[in-house]
């Protein structure tokens, strides 16, 4: 770890301080750090002003609570990390797709998002195939029966058992990262908020924090507290919605119906805060755009109280029904070892027993002063993921109620000065799906020369593919819902 | 004879009420108003007015599927009494024909599914056949146990005899096992929870529904209608045993038969409201349990003094 540039979450540093290593040294340093327990939070290539590409790896050390940045500037190709570090798998495919650099020796070098100039239509590639007379292939999507996003799933099945699942996404690629570079401008914060529509506050906060780091302007305490209220409400709404959908997928009506309504209640509380059920237009670089008064706080607290009570009665039906728990348990298992190697994040990782949470390990905003307990489970199955979500709902509701009771006073927003030039900032937040990582690099004019977004889904999609190994194909929808990953957050 | 002509038209007319009642009960449990019990009729009307789309890869088998399914279910209803109300046609051994006429409909539905060449439909067809192989013996052996106990070999005379005299003589209580088996078969064969989820949109989890994904318009209407007739047929088998009211007065027997069917429909709605569906691998275990119930009942009935 000593070799990298060490930053705290939400801190900026001059770009020149990022060590640029030779390809072999870079590989060695990253592997060593990952071997010592760090996670690859981001790993991407960016176009250099001098031409060519620079690789930048962001390693998160959860025990020390620091981030370490390493750079390399290989020409044409370098020895891929993936064979020794599976969590680099998708990152290197992305580098291969976006830069003229080939990670040689990558076991599965394929497109990630099929961006427009590429010749292949989205999803057109060689899929992994299992040979054999009794093996059959099932292709699902990209058009699905439900109201969900498009994605293609290719199953290799032996009877009802899935031997292998390959997931091909990219249908939602909008080029948001490219649109963000050249900023910040008036649009940037809105682009950040729509990186994944259901994670408005998570991504919005990560963006704001990156800009604040680069502009050296910390948001005032009241704004940080209100951001945390919105972030936790987002978590509550989505987790409740997921628990209801999980119930729906096993045909358990009572929880499904009530959670559908309760998710709406949670969204409505967010709307009281800023006028938008999804928390749009609340966050601004330097602070927040909306305040609450005592009366509103009182009403929100009362509604949260009701929400907590009703959610408990709806969700506890799940744990009290043997037909449901029997269905959830031992379905879609991911072992702790696999979870660690793949670098899973968020509830999916915590359900495997990996005790990590950006809010505690790399605290940001109000979480530096106010602690929220980390919820984890040991089993790594659908039940574990559902259980972690429910624990988080309860703890978030408790946290928001306490926070609303002790909101710091003062102003809401600080003006962000012009961004520092030739700097890099790393900003992590814990969205409801897990760790969100934004890396912003500024040019000589203080504009983003590169803006990298890593949605938790980017880490976790492969976890879903692995969870299906050896499972019944009929369990796929349930496993998929238990991860509930974002397509557009992945496709960007 | 005039009386025996009554059940078939009544079944053809009223069968779509059953899914309507099930949905109403489910809506009640979920705290919703829910669609009217007559909604299935409107759905059928809507589907009949639509055009159909056929895949270029399909043949006449695909088009024959829904028609044979409807014809075979109707044929099964011809043999079926409703409680004490006699069937249109009755002869010794018609219970075997009843089971296999239903199987014929299934065979064609499966063949039509395979005809599309779709991976989904092939998967559904394989599941359907897998579960049918388990539920068929359960049904036949259950009927055999009832036939032995009543000493009758046609469905009409068998169900007419199911009164206190038959049920209370030695061996009668064993028929409770048959009733349990019939209820399990009723839920499984009609793709209800806990075996299948009729409301799901997730193709990978479906058993029956995934086989008919490619049918559209009027043919899909025929499939829906045949499904409600099957619900009626198997519902009548179960309720005829569970509600053994045999007054001998045709109108009272008819009323009892109706009540029995509606109770079975409500029971289905309650089951679907309070429990989740089973893991696919457990479905076969429960069906095997139904078969075991039937075998046990047959043995008990045979060994009764």
């Amino acid at each position: 770890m000593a070799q990298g540039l060490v930053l705290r979450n939400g801190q900026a540093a001059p770009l020149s301080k990022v060590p640029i290593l030779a390809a072999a040294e870079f590989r060695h340093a990253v592997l060593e750090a990952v071997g010592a327990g760090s996670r690859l939070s981001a790993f991407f290539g960016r176009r250099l002003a001098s031409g060519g590409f620079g690789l930048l790896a962001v390693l998160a050390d959860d025990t020390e609570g620091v981030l370490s940045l390493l750079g390399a500037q290989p020409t044409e190709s370098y020895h891929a990390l993936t064979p020794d570090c599976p969590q680099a798998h998708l990152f290197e495919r992305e580098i291969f797709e976006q830069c003229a650099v080939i990670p040689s020796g990558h076991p599965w070098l394929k497109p990630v998002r099929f961006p427009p100039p590429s010749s292949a239509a989205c999803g057109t590639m060689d899929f992994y195939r299992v040979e054999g007379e009794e093996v059959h292939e099932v292709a699902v999507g990209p058009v699905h029966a439900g109201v969900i996003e498009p994605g293609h799933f290719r199953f290799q099945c032996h009877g009802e058992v899935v031997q292998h699942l390959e997931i091909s996404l990219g249908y939602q690629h909008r080029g948001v990262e490219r649109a963000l570079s050249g900023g910040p401008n008036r649009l940037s914060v809105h682009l950040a908020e729509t990186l994944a529509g259901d994670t408005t506050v998570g991504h919005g906060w990560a963006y704001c924090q990156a800009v604040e780091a680069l502009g050296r302007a910390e948001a005032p305490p009241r704004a940080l507290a209100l951001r945390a209220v919105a972030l936790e409400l987002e978590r509550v709404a989505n987790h409740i919605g997921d628990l209801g959908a999980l119930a729906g997928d096993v045909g358990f009506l009572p929880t499904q119906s009530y959670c559908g309504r309760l998710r709406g209640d949670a969204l409505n509380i967010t709307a009281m805060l800023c006028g938008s059920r999804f928390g749009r237009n609340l966050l601004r670089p330097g602070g927040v755009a909306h305040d609450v008064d005592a009366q509103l706080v009182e009403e929100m607290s009362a509604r949260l109280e009701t929400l907590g009570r009703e959610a408990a009665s709806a969700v506890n039906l799940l744990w009290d029904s043997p037909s449901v728990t029997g269905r959830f348990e031992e379905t879609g298992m991911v072992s702790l070892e696999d979870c660690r190697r793949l670098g899973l994040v968020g509830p999916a990782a915590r359900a495997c027993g990996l005790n990590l949470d950006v809010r505690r390990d790399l605290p940001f905003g109000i979480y530096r002063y106010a602690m929220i307990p980390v919820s984890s489970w040991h089993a790594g199955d659908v039940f574990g993921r559902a259980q972690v979500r429910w624990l988080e709902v309860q703890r978030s509701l408790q946290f928001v109620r306490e926070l609303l009771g002790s909101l710091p006073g003062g102003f809401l927003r600080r003006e962000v000065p012009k961004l520092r030039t030739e700097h890099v900032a790393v900003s992590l937040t814990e969205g409801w799906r897990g760790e969100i990582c934004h890396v912003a690099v500024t040019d000589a004019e203080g504009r983003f020369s590169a803006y990298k977004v890593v949605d938790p889904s980017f880490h976790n999609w492969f976890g879903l593919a692995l969870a299906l190994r050896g499972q019944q194909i009929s369990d796929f929808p349930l496993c998929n819902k238990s991860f509930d990953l974002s397509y557009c957050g992945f496709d960007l | 004879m005039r009386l025996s002509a009554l059940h078939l038209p009544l079944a053809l007319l009223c069968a779509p009420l059953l899914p309507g009642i099930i949905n109403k009960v489910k809506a009640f449990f979920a705290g919703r108003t829910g669609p009217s019990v007559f909604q299935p009729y409107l759905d059928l009307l809507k589907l009949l007015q639509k055009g159909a789309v056929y895949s270029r890869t399909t043949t006449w088998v695909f088009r024959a599927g829904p028609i044979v399914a409807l014809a075979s279910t109707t044929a099964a209803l011809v043999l079926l009494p409703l409680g004490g109300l006699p069937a249109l046609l009755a002869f010794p051994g018609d219970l075997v024909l009843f089971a296999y006429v239903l199987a014929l409909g299934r065979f064609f539905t499966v063949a039509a599914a395979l005809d599309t060449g779709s991976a989904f439909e092939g998967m559904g067809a394989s599941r359907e056949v897998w579960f049918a192989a388990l539920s068929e013996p359960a049904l036949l052996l259950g009927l055999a146990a009832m036939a032995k106990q009543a000493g009758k070999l046609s469905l009409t005379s068998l169900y007419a005899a199911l009164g206190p005299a038959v049920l209370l003589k030695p061996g009668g209580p064993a028929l409770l096992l048959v009733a349990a088996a019939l209820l399990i078969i009723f839920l499984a064969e009609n793709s209800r929870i806990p075996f299948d989820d009729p409301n799901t949109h997730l193709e990978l989890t479906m058993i029956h529904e995934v086989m008919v994904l490619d049918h559209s318009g009027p043919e899909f209407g025929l499939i829906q209608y045949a499904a409600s007739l099957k619900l009626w047929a198997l519902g009548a088998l179960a309720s005829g045993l569970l509600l053994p009211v045999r007054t001998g007065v045709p109108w009272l027997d008819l009323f009892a038969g109706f009540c029995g069917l509606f109770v079975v429909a409500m029971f289905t709605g309650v089951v679907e409201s309070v429990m989740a569906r089973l893991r696919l691998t457990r479905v076969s275990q429960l069906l095997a349990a139904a078969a075991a119930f039937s075998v046990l009942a047959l043995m008990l009935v045979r060994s009764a003094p």
Side-chain angles (χ1 to χ4, degrees):
Chain A
M1 285 300 283
Q3 291 166 305
L5 165 68
V6 174
L7 287 180
R8 275 182 294 105
N9 184 8
Q11 201 186 8
L15 202 51
S16 56
K17 287 207 179 151
V18 179
I20 306 293
L21 309 177
E25 275 179 64
F26 173 79
R27 185 173 197 278
H28 182 72
V30 172
L31 291 182
E32 196 179 45
V34 170
S38 288
R39 289 178 301 109
L40 210 49
S41 273
F43 178 31
F44 61 100
R46 61 189 180 90
R47 195 177 281 280
L48 300 172
S50 56
F53 290 92
L55 299 183
L56 191 65
V58 178
L59 291 150
D61 184 340
D62 296 311
T63 43
E64 296 290 326
V66 292
L67 299 157
S68 169
L69 272 64
L70 287 166
Q73 291 177 8
T75 50
E76 284 181 23
S77 78
Y78 71 98
H79 187 179
L81 301 174
T82 306
D84 300 305
C85 172
Q87 50 181 295
H89 155 247
L90 261 174
F91 287 116
E92 292 198 311
R93 276 170 65 175
E94 190 188 31
I95 289 168
F96 164 66
E97 186 173 62
Q98 292 178 349
C99 315
V101 180
I102 296 170
S104 62
H106 190 290
W108 210 233
L109 212 49
K110 294 171 159 197
V112 179
R113 305 190 177 99
F114 307 86
S118 82
S119 53
C122 202
T124 311
M125 62 178 191
D126 291 328
F127 286 90
Y128 184 81
R129 289 194 77 131
V130 178
E131 299 290 337
E133 213 161 87
E134 292 184 354
V135 175
H136 66 106
E137 190 176 69
V138 180
V140 184
V143 180
H144 299 283
V147 187
I148 60 167
E149 297 175 85
H152 182 77
F153 301 87
R154 194 68 74 94
F155 297 88
Q156 309 291 322
C157 296
H158 182 240
E160 294 280 338
V161 179
V162 178
Q163 304 275 346
H164 184 81
L165 161 63
E166 189 165 357
I167 302 169
S168 171
L169 304 176
Y171 299 91
Q172 301 262 75
H173 181 57
R174 297 159 289 165
V176 197
E177 282 179 346
R178 200 190 297 178
L180 276 166
S181 62
N185 53 39
R186 288 172 62 192
L187 259 181
S188 304
V189 69
H190 302 295
L191 285 174
E193 281 183 335
T194 48
L195 278 164
D198 47 17
T199 318
T200 304
V201 182
H203 275 294
W205 193 342
Y207 167 80
C208 290
Q209 185 172 245
V211 171
E212 286 153 13
L214 289 165
R216 231 181 290 183
E218 167 122 28
R222 190 172 176 84
L224 292 180
L226 287 176
R227 282 180 184 180
V229 169
L231 185 70
E232 297 307 327
L233 281 174
E234 187 170 84
R235 194 181 319 279
V236 168
N238 281 298
H239 281 351
I240 290 183
D242 273 352
L243 288 165
L246 280 170
D249 278 5
V250 297
F252 189 64
L253 290 179
T255 307
Q256 181 194 19
S257 324
Y258 290 115
C259 283
R261 174 175 73 75
L262 293 171
R263 170 177 171 269
D265 287 352
L267 293 176
N268 288 343
I269 300 175
T270 310
M272 293 167 78
L273 199 61
C274 62
S276 158
R277 280 160 48 96
F278 296 97
R280 299 265 157 86
N281 295 323
L282 172 67
L283 280 76
R284 288 286 178 274
V288 291
H290 295 268
D291 199 3
V292 291
D293 56 24
Q295 196 194 340
L296 194 61
V297 166
E298 201 175 311
E299 198 183 334
M300 283 173 74
S301 306
R303 287 210 196 182
L304 284 166
E305 178 97 36
T306 319
L307 176 63
R309 208 174 45 242
E310 292 184 346
S313 66
V315 175
N316 284 334
L317 283 176
L318 281 182
W319 322 129
D320 293 343
S321 306
S323 61
V324 175
T325 49
R327 192 81 179 73
F328 282 4
E329 279 167 2
E330 289 175 24
T331 302
M333 305 257 279
V334 180
S335 71
L336 178 58
E337 173 63 17
D338 286 342
C339 166
R340 217 188 287 275
R341 278 160 56 84
L342 290 176
L344 302 191
V345 295
R350 292 193 280 275
C352 299
L354 200 58
N355 199 310
L356 54 87
D357 190 321
V358 176
R359 291 173 293 176
R360 182 199 58 198
D361 303 328
L362 299 147
F364 57 99
I366 197 83
Y367 301 104
R368 281 174 294 191
Y369 321 111
M371 301 291 270
I372 184 161
V374 176
S375 316
S376 63
W377 199 255
H378 51 84
D381 51 8
V382 172
F383 183 83
R385 289 185 282 276
Q387 190 71 39
V388 166
R389 286 184 203 280
W390 174 232
L391 289 171
E392 289 189 3
V393 166
Q394 298 173 78
R395 287 166 178 178
S396 293
L397 282 173
Q398 174 75 13
F399 184 78
V400 172
R401 285 220 295 274
E402 283 168 12
L403 207 54
L404 282 175
S406 58
L407 276 181
F411 60 107
L412 285 178
R413 192 174 169 188
R414 201 191 297 276
E415 201 57 43
V416 180
K418 201 167 175 306
L419 305 192
R420 284 180 281 177
T421 57
E422 306 273 352
H423 267 62
V424 57
V426 183
S427 167
L428 270 64
T429 57
E430 181 77 20
W432 65 275
R433 279 198 187 89
E435 176 189 283
I436 294 166
C437 178
H438 286 205
V439 184
V441 180
T442 54
D443 60 12
E445 268 91 52
R447 307 223 148 258
F448 297 138
S449 61
Y451 197 94
K452 180 68 208 158
V453 176
V454 185
D455 188 84
S457 309
F458 198 78
H459 297 282
N460 284 3
W461 272 114
F462 205 78
L464 171 63
L466 209 67
L468 254 287
R469 286 262 168 104
Q471 294 284 317
Q472 298 278 310
I473 188 172
S474 57
D475 284 337
F476 171 70
L478 183 62
C479 291
N480 189 20
K481 186 46 82 179
S482 74
F483 277 86
D484 195 21
L485 301 175
S486 171
Y487 298 68
C488 67
F490 177 95
D491 292 342
L492 298 173
Chain B
M1 192 61 210
R2 235 184 303 150
L3 203 57
S4 61
L6 200 58
H7 180 217
L8 184 62
L10 268 178
L12 293 178
L13 194 65
C14 302
L17 271 179
L18 296 181
I21 292 170
I22 295 176
N23 287 339
K24 199 72 179 172
V25 173
K26 285 167 76 172
F28 171 78
F29 270 84
R32 293 182 283 117
T33 316
S36 141
V37 290
F38 298 105
Q39 186 62 38
Y41 291 97
L42 301 176
D43 288 343
L44 288 175
L45 212 60
K46 177 189 73 183
L47 285 168
L48 290 178
Q49 288 166 359
K50 288 193 173 194
V53 181
Y54 300 102
S55 155
R56 276 189 300 276
T57 63
T58 56
T59 63
W60 65 271
V61 176
F62 178 75
R63 300 189 188 209
I67 297 165
V68 177
L70 179 59
S72 63
T73 323
T74 314
L77 281 171
V78 169
L79 303 170
L80 188 75
L82 179 65
L85 201 67
L88 185 59
L89 203 62
F91 53 88
D94 61 2
L95 41 89
V96 178
L97 184 63
F98 173 81
Y100 283 97
V101 160
L102 285 180
L104 177 71
R106 183 195 340 271
F107 175 80
F108 264 85
T109 310
V110 167
L114 291 175
D115 193 39
T116 62
S118 137
F120 281 144
E121 305 224 4
M123 208 166 61
S126 122
R127 288 174 186 169
E128 176 88 5
V129 174
W130 171 22
F131 298 135
L134 295 165
S135 73
E136 245 170 50
L139 176 63
L140 271 178
L141 292 170
L143 289 176
M146 284 159 69
K148 171 76 187 156
Q149 179 70 10
K152 311 276 187 200
L153 275 174
S154 90
L155 282 170
T156 297
S157 53
L158 162 60
Y159 270 87
L162 283 180
V166 168
L167 293 175
L168 294 178
K169 78 175 188 191
L175 292 190
L176 278 176
L177 287 170
V178 177
L182 284 180
L183 277 178
I184 292 176
I185 294 164
F186 169 78
L187 293 176
E189 287 282 312
N190 290 304
S191 32
R192 312 303 310 192
I193 285 175
F195 298 94
D196 196 354
D197 184 356
N199 288 348
T200 187
H201 62 264
L202 307 163
E203 307 95 335
L204 292 176
T205 69
M206 298 173 177
I207 297 171
H208 181 79
E209 219 62 19
V210 70
M211 288 197 303
V212 298
L213 281 180
D214 280 52
H215 291 285
S216 55
E219 295 189 352
F220 187 58
L222 295 187
I223 289 171
Q224 296 276 30
Y225 184 53
S228 59
L229 290 182
K230 197 172 176 187
L231 201 62
W232 183 284
L234 293 169
L237 273 194
S239 67
L241 175 58
L242 282 165
L243 214 73
V245 181
R246 306 288 178 265
T247 55
V249 184
W251 300 111
L252 280 179
D253 280 358
L254 175 67
F255 180 72
F258 260 76
C259 286
L261 270 172
F262 292 152
V263 168
V264 169
M266 286 201 272
F267 161 79
T268 312
V270 173
V271 168
E272 299 204 355
S273 301
V274 299
M275 78 181 287
R277 65 175 289 204
L278 291 167
R279 202 181 288 244
L280 206 61
T281 44
R282 294 246 181 276
V283 170
S284 48
Q285 295 172 1
L286 196 52
L287 283 173
F293 284 169
S294 292
V295 172
L296 193 59
L298 187 58
M299 283 158 61
L300 289 172
V301 167
R302 266 187 65 86
S303 59

